[in-house]
């Protein structure tokens, strides 16, 4: 049976492809001109953060959290059900807190007009993706928890 691809997986793959292209261009430029593009580091960092958050969100969608499998698999169906609920709840809580913290960072960067070092553009252009992705992960974890709650322990 073919698995449906989550939107987060597409975002992660696009970020990885962009990282490869940017890094390759930077290496070629450095090899030919003996200078590098300073702005590529800023964009690469943002792409890595977005890729990491998108990958984590894709793991939430697939309920592929890191677990202690020996503890999880050795339990009764009731215990596995409770552990899945706990996992979804803790995931939602952690990413809800991260959403609030990232929103504060973006607000501070907008208030203080912080600019990036390489490009000189407002830093919130780069960091505004983080609260959106963490909010999406919170929502995904809540939906997963609701789905687990609706299923009887099997």
């Amino acid at each position: 049976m073919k698995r449906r691809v989550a939107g987060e997986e597409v975002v992660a793959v696009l970020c990885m492809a962009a990282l490869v292209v940017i890094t390759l261009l930077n290496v070629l430029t450095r090899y030919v001109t003996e200078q590098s593009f300073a702005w590529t580091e800023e964009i690469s960092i943002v792409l890595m953060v977005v890729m990491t958050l998108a990958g984590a969100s894709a793991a939430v969608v697939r309920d592929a959290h890191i677990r202690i499998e020996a503890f999880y698999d050795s339990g009764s169906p009731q215990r596995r059900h409770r552990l899945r609920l706990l996992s979804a709840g803790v995931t939602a809580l952690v990413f809800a807190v991260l959403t609030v913290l990232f929103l504060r960072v973006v607000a501070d960067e907008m208030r203080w007009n912080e600019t990036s070092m390489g490009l000189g553009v407002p830093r919130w252009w780069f960091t505004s993706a983080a609260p959106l992705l963490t909010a999406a992960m919170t929502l995904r974890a809540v939906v997963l928890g609701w789905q687990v709650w609706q299923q009887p322990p099997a």
Side-chain angles (χ1 to χ4, degrees), residues 60-124:
V60 169
V61 170
R62 290 191 316 264
D63 194 21
H65 304 288
I66 296 174
R67 297 184 177 122
I68 301 172
E69 293 294 328
F71 181 70
Y72 179 78
D73 290 340
S74 67
S76 67
Q78 184 72 20
R79 182 167 83 179
R80 284 195 298 263
H81 188 260
R82 284 192 207 123
L83 287 172
R84 288 182 70 204
L85 279 173
L86 177 67
S87 176
V90 169
T91 301
L93 178 66
V94 165
F95 284 107
V97 169
L98 278 175
T99 301
V100 171
L101 293 174
F102 278 131
L103 284 171
R104 289 183 65 185
V105 167
V106 171
D108 283 346
E109 288 176 349
M110 291 173 90
R111 181 172 7 139
W112 301 110
N113 294 322
E114 290 185 43
T115 58
S116 65
M117 293 180 134
L119 292 172
V121 298
R123 281 190 54 185
W124 65 267

Side-chain angles (χ1 to χ4, degrees), residues 5-16:
V5 176
E8 292 89 345
E9 292 172 326
V10 173
V11 171
V13 167
L14 291 174
C15 285
M16 181 63 80

